[in-house]
Amino acid sequence: MLDIHITEFYNDVGRIFSKLYGTFPRQVTLWVEDISGSDTPDEYGLHSERYQACYATFLWLADEGYIRFGDVEKQDAFNHCCLTQQGYSLLAGIVFDEGGHYRPIEHIRTALKDKSSSALESAVTDIIHQAIKKRH
């Protein structure tokens, strides 16, 4: 059984990281739809599961200390969004032992450009693994 929701999670994380790294250290507004793709709420105003999963990815990244934001505009946008020191350090390769030559953000950008979900999953899991190693 394929875990499509996990693949989508890695894609969302990669897109969020790429956008925030590209604007660091400025605080920006990130629209959920820009990450998840277009969404049309149903007749009750509820977003699709895909959209809600992307929204939850933003919250998870903030809870884990990779990003921060000031407030949320409905469920549509995260205002004053920025990488944290931990998020920036991981993406820039500052916490790696390879003398700063390895920049995980480059792997994310390449995977996004190539539209390679497996390469994006690998890049994001490497970042998360480094964050776990750093905590211990």
Side-chain angles (χ1 to χ4, degrees), residues 73-94:
E73 195 170 310
K74 298 183 185 176
Q75 275 192 332
D76 296 329
F78 288 81
N79 295 318
H80 312 290
C81 198
C82 186
L83 291 171
T84 61
Q85 182 273 327
Q86 174 184 325
Y88 173 77
S89 295
L90 288 167
L91 293 172
I94 293 170

Side-chain angles (χ1 to χ4, degrees), residues 63 70-71 77:
D63 287 346
D71 60 5

